[in-house]
Amino acid sequence: KPHPPRSSHGHAPKPWGPARGPALVVVMTSPFGRYRNAEAASAHLPPSSYLLASLKADCLNKPFAQRCHDLATVIEEFPAKELHTIFPWLVENIFGSLDGVILGWNLRCLQGRTNPTEYSIALDFLDPAGPMMKLVYKLQAEEYRYDFPVSYLPGPVKVSIQERILPECSLYHNKVQFPSSGGLGLNLVVNPFEYCMFYFAISLITQRNIPMSCHVSTSNSAYFVLVDRYLKWFLPIEGSVLPPPSSDPGGVPSPAPRSPAVPFTSYGMHPTSLLKRHIAHQPSVNADPASQEIWRSETLLQIFVEMWLHHYSLDMYQKMQSPHIKELFKPTEEHVLVIRLLVKHLHAFSNSFKPEPVSPSAHSHTASPLAEFKRIVIPRFVQQKLYVFLQHCFGHWPLDASFRAVLEMWLSYLQPWRYAPEKPLLSTESQPRSVSEKWAPFIQENLLMYTKLFVGFLNRALRTDLVSPKNALMVFRVAKIFAQPNLAEMIQKGEQLFLETDLVVPPRQHRLFVSPSFGGSFLSSRTPNITDVSFKVKSHVYSLEGQDFQYKQMFGPEVRNLVLRLAQQICQAQQTAKSISDHSIEATASQSFLSWFRFGPSDLNGSYTGNDLDEIGQDNIKKTDEYLEKALEYLCQIFRVQLPLCSQESLFGMKHGIHKVHGYKLNEAQLCQLMQNWGAAQDENEKKQLPDCIESEDGLILTPLGRYQIINGLRKFPLEYQGDPELQPIRSYENTTIVRLLFQLSSIINRRFAGSMETLCAKEGFLGSFCRYHLCNPCIIEKARRSPLSKQNLGQIQQPRVSLRFLASYRTLLSLLLTYFIASWFCIGPVTCTFLLSIGYLFYAVLMTFITEKRNPHQS
């Protein structure tokens, strides 16, 4: 809903309409054709309404390139009082509607590779120096205002305004408008720049009906490129923010909205705070000349942070720890990638701050507004909201590879030195760059970002399948970042500062200094000069987590136990990956040329239906092993302990005291538990490991550890057919008719001679061994030990019997046919060939009987 402009003399401007009567001739080029006169054009509609109707018609009739060209012409030639009416429609037409029904230009799916022409035109039109921004500045100069619905603001802000509590962020001050009599809902009265940026920012998180065929790369989309351009333009790393163009030739630049004067208070304060303000007492505006220089930079950043990060308040975060609370907002991978772009640019923007070599007393008077803005931009505008956002993602994001986007965004925030203008060169490629001591204040003032989120990642890693190369890569990335030289020491120093007891932080006073507030324009007041580093660290922690927060040390015993568990899981994942690799190699080697005819082996029970590594190949299996091996090595460096290296030598070293490294020592309970778990994980063949279970009268029963191993894919029971081999489903390599006929024949023989066969198999000596070799299946007992099969069913299967099903296999039939065909070349008849085959098999059976009895004498 547009508002008329505010006159500098306190009265409304003149009404819209023709200025000099009906004889005025208005000549217009495309897209609107020509008016014969203003009276004819405005017979039913005023000029501004006719302009809007013409633009809407062009959306249906003209191609995209022509529409943009005509819009640029209209913006250049028409006055602000006529552009004022089309502005809300144009913004919605470009960025889409707030409810997601109108797609607009669909900037999130617009890519240069698929639509190069539209992509280039859209970027030029929406560029910070393009026609759209010229329209914004034109309307800004006339001080027009527009309504933005409060219902589409982030949840915590919307609830606060609806409860008549003024949000702490200065973005909302002096803008909340109560509904008039009969009006619906609350609105923010915003200027054109804020209105445009609100729509642009919210279009990222609005759920829209995007076609399923739209497969795009987020970093190559027009939206992503525009975010990058806006950040570089309004938050420049070098130089200053360019002033907006003049509204008239030779005129003055468009004025900036005045920032309210609000006390410097914490932005994340609880609703019970004594400093909250009723919405009816909104601060009045003041003329702060220093803030005029960078009002667009501050406004742009506040809108991006509010729309993209402020979906979870501290109170809501505490409530969402309960699994019964329904998640109100679910961020997407695209959303997180854009936030990462914002974080990276803010680091570069903040690191470009160069303090002037003047005395501290003079610094406050000589520092430029942009330099002051760079100094406090991250702790004041980003830190608290980003921390709560990351806490939510770590606790609620699905346990899949898409978490990589959240992980990289977190790691980008933890490494501001990567975006510093001066990057020291590496001495050698093998040695990582050491973290300079100048970053110690940042680490201490963001201690929870490093420690608590690291613990949150450990808990996630313990619940994921580390055999997957994508999950293994995430563990490797985190371990590598935290293993940078001097980083662990600085984190530990920050923990020591927090645990100091010589300073007591008052329950409320600490909120005035940490997590600098969004309570007004940052130039309205200043942070007290705090010299006590320990007080800063305590204030940071208490402002984010509350006064009653129980801090869990990153290098304490509880977290070290989590690291040991992760190390054990890494070793198990390495063994599982190795077993999959070995099985894949064996299966490939056992393939014969007959597999082309789909003549596979007669026993499918040995097939390994395991991890997705069976499908992604040996290269990724090797990558998984490399990632996990390096991650284990980095964990050793971070926590300075000798962790298991998945070899007997490491266990030998731990048993003989090598677990003492750099003054740290694993206690005996940890060492015993680690050795027991590691010993249990070692299988005699280092593959096909079974879940942890206990043996009972009814078979194997899973323990809680065994269930955990199965759920996370660490171990598994082989998926085999454990019933009667004669009753298993007919395979694709068997002839259905012959299988059924041979089963009936075998059943008749077994029923008639069951007693005789049991008597023969019970005899001692060669005859008993020979019969057991042919009439008993020695593999069933061994398979039963690796499956929770009941002993009752096992007893029914173990009875001696004849099985002729092997004769129904196509492979067996083809082998016999080839044998008879080759024998016919040597003039050997079918009867003679059958006799020779019987004699040959008899010698083979005798030999195998002796070998079997020597290997398994206990079975006799």
Side-chain angles (χ1 to χ4, degrees):
K1 176 184 174 182
H3 290 264
R6 300 176 180 177
S7 173
S8 59
H9 301 286
H11 56 270
K14 296 180 180 181
W16 299 327
R20 297 185 180 179
L24 176 65
V25 177
V26 182
V27 180
M28 303 182 64
T29 58
S30 64
F32 313 110
R34 298 175 180 270
Y35 296 149
R36 285 178 299 177
N37 55 58
E39 182 179 7
S42 59
H44 302 287
L45 297 172
S48 57
S49 299
Y50 185 84
L51 176 63
L52 179 60
S54 300
L55 289 173
K56 290 181 178 180
D58 289 342
C59 289
L60 302 175
N61 302 324
K62 292 187 177 182
F64 182 76
Q66 183 64 37
R67 297 202 315 261
C68 290
H69 178 269
D70 293 342
L71 282 171
T73 302
V74 168
I75 293 171
E76 189 70 28
E77 297 179 356
F78 274 65
K81 66 180 180 179
E82 295 188 17
L83 297 176
H84 161 60
T85 307
I86 72 168
F87 180 68
W89 169 84
L90 181 60
V91 171
E92 185 177 81
N93 183 258
I94 293 175
F95 302 121
S97 59
L98 297 175
D99 56 8
V101 176
I102 301 176
L103 280 178
W105 289 4
N106 202 9
L107 298 173
R108 290 158 57 184
C109 290
L110 186 60
Q111 293 215 340
R113 290 178 296 180
T114 55
N115 299 292
T117 304
E118 291 83 353
Y119 176 83
S120 177
I121 293 174
L123 290 182
D124 291 341
F125 187 85
L126 298 174
D127 189 80
M132 188 64 184
M133 278 300 162
K134 291 181 181 178
L135 171 61
V136 168
Y137 298 140
K138 203 177 229 184
L139 298 174
Q140 192 83 30
E142 300 294 333
E143 298 189 9
Y144 284 100
R145 294 293 182 268
Y146 302 89
D147 286 346
F148 187 87
V150 170
S151 58
Y152 290 101
L153 294 175
V157 177
K158 178 174 61 177
V159 171
S160 177
I161 294 178
Q162 290 173 349
E163 293 178 352
R164 300 299 192 265
I165 303 300
L166 182 64
E168 299 283 342
C169 180
S170 63
L171 183 65
Y172 308 109
H173 292 175
N174 205 40
K175 293 184 176 67
V176 180
Q177 181 186 51
F178 292 99
S180 59
S181 57
L184 298 176
L186 294 167
N187 294 304
L188 295 180
V189 180
V190 296
N191 61 51
F193 183 80
E194 293 168 336
Y195 187 80
C196 181
M197 286 305 159
F198 264 120
Y199 265 83
F200 176 74
I202 204 173
S203 65
L204 173 65
I205 58 178
T206 303
Q207 298 297 325
R208 305 186 187 279
N209 297 322
I210 298 177
M212 297 300 294
S213 59
C214 181
H215 300 288
V216 298
S217 171
T218 301
S219 59
N220 295 324
S221 68
Y223 188 90
F224 193 89
V225 174
L226 281 174
V227 171
D228 186 55
R229 290 189 182 183
Y230 289 155
L231 290 175
K232 291 178 179 178
W233 183 275
F234 295 108
L235 301 173
I237 298 175
E238 297 181 357
S240 59
V241 184
L242 295 178
S246 301
S247 56
D248 298 317
V252 295
S254 58
R258 294 162 182 169
S259 302
V262 188
F264 193 119
T265 54
S266 175
Y267 180 62
M269 205 166 301
H270 296 285
T272 57
S273 171
L274 297 176
L275 297 177
K276 72 180 183 181
R277 294 178 295 276
H278 193 274
I279 202 169
H281 302 90
Q282 300 183 44
S284 59
V285 298
N286 73 319
D288 187 359
S291 65
Q292 305 300 313
E293 178 182 339
I294 58 166
W295 69 268
R296 291 175 299 156
S297 304
E298 187 177 355
T299 300
L300 177 86
L301 180 60
Q302 285 182 321
I303 291 176
F304 283 0
V305 171
E306 288 292 306
M307 292 294 106
W308 296 343
L309 291 176
H310 195 195
H311 294 276
Y312 315 101
S313 63
L314 290 177
D315 293 337
M316 186 184 302
Y317 161 67
Q318 296 295 338
K319 294 177 182 178
M320 293 192 69
Q321 302 308 304
S322 171
H324 305 291
I325 300 298
K326 183 179 179 182
E327 188 176 5
L328 300 178
F329 176 80
K330 297 180 180 179
T332 62
E333 189 173 354
E334 177 189 17
H335 180 191
V336 173
L337 290 175
V338 174
I339 295 176
R340 186 190 180 209
L341 175 65
L342 173 65
V343 168
K344 292 166 64 176
H345 183 83
L346 288 180
H347 273 317
F349 177 71
S350 179
N351 291 337
S352 64
F353 169 67
K354 298 177 181 179
E356 299 179 8
V358 294
S359 62
S361 59
H363 177 74
S364 59
H365 301 284
T366 59
S368 67
L370 183 61
E372 189 74 4
F373 186 55
K374 290 180 178 182
R375 185 178 63 84
I376 53 90
V377 62
I378 290 181
R380 179 166 183 177
F381 289 90
V382 179
Q383 184 191 67
Q384 186 186 68
K385 293 184 177 66
L386 181 62
Y387 173 74
V388 177
F389 183 86
L390 285 172
Q391 280 278 34
H392 175 271
C393 290
F394 274 60
H396 294 78
W397 199 278
L399 293 173
D400 56 21
S402 65
F403 185 73
R404 175 77 186 279
V406 179
L407 188 78
E408 293 299 335
M409 187 253 289
W410 172 50
L411 296 178
S412 294
Y413 183 82
L414 298 185
Q415 303 178 87
W417 46 87
R418 289 186 56 192
Y419 312 101
E422 64 285 347
K423 294 183 178 180
L425 300 176
L426 299 179
S427 56
T428 60
E429 294 183 359
S430 59
Q431 295 182 356
R433 183 171 65 242
S434 177
V435 180
S436 172
E437 285 291 336
K438 81 172 196 174
W439 300 107
F442 178 87
I443 296 172
Q444 294 163 4
E445 294 171 7
N446 292 271
L447 185 63
L448 291 178
M449 287 283 195
Y450 290 89
T451 59
K452 187 171 182 181
L453 292 183
F454 179 81
V455 176
F457 175 77
L458 288 180
N459 291 323
R460 282 187 62 94
L462 289 171
R463 293 180 290 156
T464 55
D465 179 15
L466 297 183
V467 183
S468 170
K470 294 180 180 179
N471 292 335
L473 175 60
M474 287 191 282
V475 176
F476 163 75
R477 287 280 298 141
V478 173
K480 180 181 179 182
I481 297 306
F482 277 83
Q484 295 179 81
N486 202 33
L487 178 58
E489 288 78 4
M490 286 193 285
I491 295 176
Q492 196 168 10
K493 177 66 179 304
E495 289 190 322
Q496 293 172 357
L497 290 171
F498 174 75
L499 296 175
E500 287 182 1
T501 57
D502 57 338
L503 178 64
V504 178
V505 181
R508 290 295 175 186
Q509 185 181 0
H510 70 275
R511 296 188 179 276
L512 298 176
F513 302 105
V514 210
S515 185
S517 130
F518 296 68
S521 176
F522 75 92
L523 292 169
S524 59
S525 56
R526 298 188 176 277
T527 311
N529 186 17
I530 305 174
T531 58
D532 192 337
V533 180
S534 176
F535 183 73
K536 284 185 178 181
V537 178
K538 292 174 186 288
S539 301
H540 154 72
V541 173
Y542 291 140
S543 68
L544 294 181
E545 290 290 346
Q547 189 72 21
D548 300 329
F549 174 62
Q550 298 295 325
Y551 183 75
K552 184 185 298 183
Q553 297 184 53
M554 178 175 169
F555 296 93
E558 189 174 350
V559 178
R560 294 169 75 85
N561 287 335
L562 289 177
V563 174
L564 289 176
R565 285 179 54 194
L566 179 61
Q568 297 164 16
Q569 188 167 323
I570 288 175
C571 293
Q572 293 170 357
Q574 286 182 292
Q575 294 298 325
T576 303
K578 186 177 184 302
S579 67
I580 296 174
S581 177
D582 293 343
H583 178 271
S584 177
I585 295 174
E586 292 174 1
T588 303
S590 63
Q591 294 289 336
S592 64
F593 73 96
L594 295 177
S595 62
W596 189 80
F597 301 97
R598 297 183 67 183
F599 301 142
S602 59
D603 182 18
L604 284 187
N605 289 342
S607 62
Y608 192 94
T609 56
N611 203 283
D612 57 348
L613 291 176
D614 290 327
E615 301 178 358
I616 60 179
Q618 293 293 322
D619 292 339
N620 285 313
I621 296 177
K622 293 179 180 178
K623 288 182 180 179
T624 299
D625 186 69
E626 292 175 0
Y627 291 148
L628 295 178
E629 189 68 33
K630 293 298 292 184
L632 206 55
E633 179 182 338
Y634 289 136
L635 289 174
C636 295
Q637 297 177 13
I638 297 170
F639 291 90
R640 301 175 180 177
V641 294
Q642 183 72 23
L643 296 175
L645 298 179
C646 303
S647 63
Q648 294 295 333
E649 289 78 3
S650 64
L651 280 180
F652 178 83
M654 295 182 69
K655 289 177 65 176
H656 290 81
I658 305 181
H659 55 282
K660 299 179 182 179
V661 181
H662 296 286
Y664 290 87
K665 178 180 179 181
L666 299 179
N667 59 47
E668 297 300 325
Q670 291 175 333
L671 183 60
C672 293
Q673 180 185 3
L674 178 59
M675 293 179 61
Q676 289 174 2
N677 293 340
W678 177 245
Q682 296 296 323
D683 189 79
E684 56 183 4
N685 295 323
E686 293 187 350
K687 61 182 180 179
K688 294 186 179 180
Q689 302 176 20
L690 300 180
D692 188 70
C693 52
I694 57 176
E695 187 172 359
S696 66
E697 296 179 356
D698 297 328
L700 300 179
I701 299 178
L702 284 173
T703 64
L705 175 60
R707 294 190 187 94
Y708 172 83
Q709 292 168 338
I710 290 179
I711 291 174
N712 291 277
L714 302 177
R715 297 188 187 180
K716 62 180 358 177
F717 287 111
L719 299 180
E720 304 175 339
Y721 178 79
Q722 294 288 345
D724 190 343
E726 294 296 310
L727 299 178
Q728 60 182 320
I730 298 176
R731 310 297 186 184
S732 60
Y733 54 81
E734 293 177 325
N735 185 280
T736 304
T737 304
I738 298 178
V739 168
R740 291 171 179 169
L741 292 176
L742 291 176
F743 173 74
Q744 295 178 3
L745 178 60
S746 300
S747 300
I748 294 174
I749 296 174
N750 292 331
R751 284 196 301 269
R752 180 135 185 208
F753 301 101
S756 301
M757 287 188 291
E758 287 186 7
T759 303
L760 289 173
C761 291
K763 287 185 177 182
E764 301 290 339
F766 175 76
L767 181 60
S769 300
F770 188 82
C771 292
R772 285 192 296 273
Y773 176 77
H774 289 86
L775 301 178
C776 297
N777 191 347
C779 298
I780 288 184
I781 299 177
E782 182 62 26
K783 290 180 179 180
R785 293 175 180 172
R786 295 185 282 114
S787 176
L789 181 69
S790 65
K791 293 186 176 181
Q792 182 180 359
N793 296 334
L794 180 60
Q796 297 174 359
I797 298 173
Q798 283 186 305
Q799 296 178 356
R801 54 186 170 172
V802 173
S803 177
L804 302 176
R805 183 166 175 169
F806 71 96
L807 295 174
S809 171
Y810 288 121
R811 184 173 65 177
T812 302
L813 295 176
L814 181 60
S815 300
L816 291 175
L817 181 61
L818 290 175
T819 301
Y820 285 118
F821 179 73
I822 294 173
S824 65
W825 288 1
F826 298 94
C827 300
I828 300 175
V831 178
T832 306
C833 183
T834 303
F835 177 76
L836 292 176
L837 288 176
S838 302
I839 295 297
Y841 176 76
L842 181 62
F843 282 109
Y844 171 78
V846 170
L847 179 62
M848 292 303 297
T849 299
F850 282 112
I851 296 175
T852 304
E853 286 300 311
K854 289 183 178 180
R855 286 183 177 178
N856 304 309
H858 59 279
Q859 292 183 359
S860 60

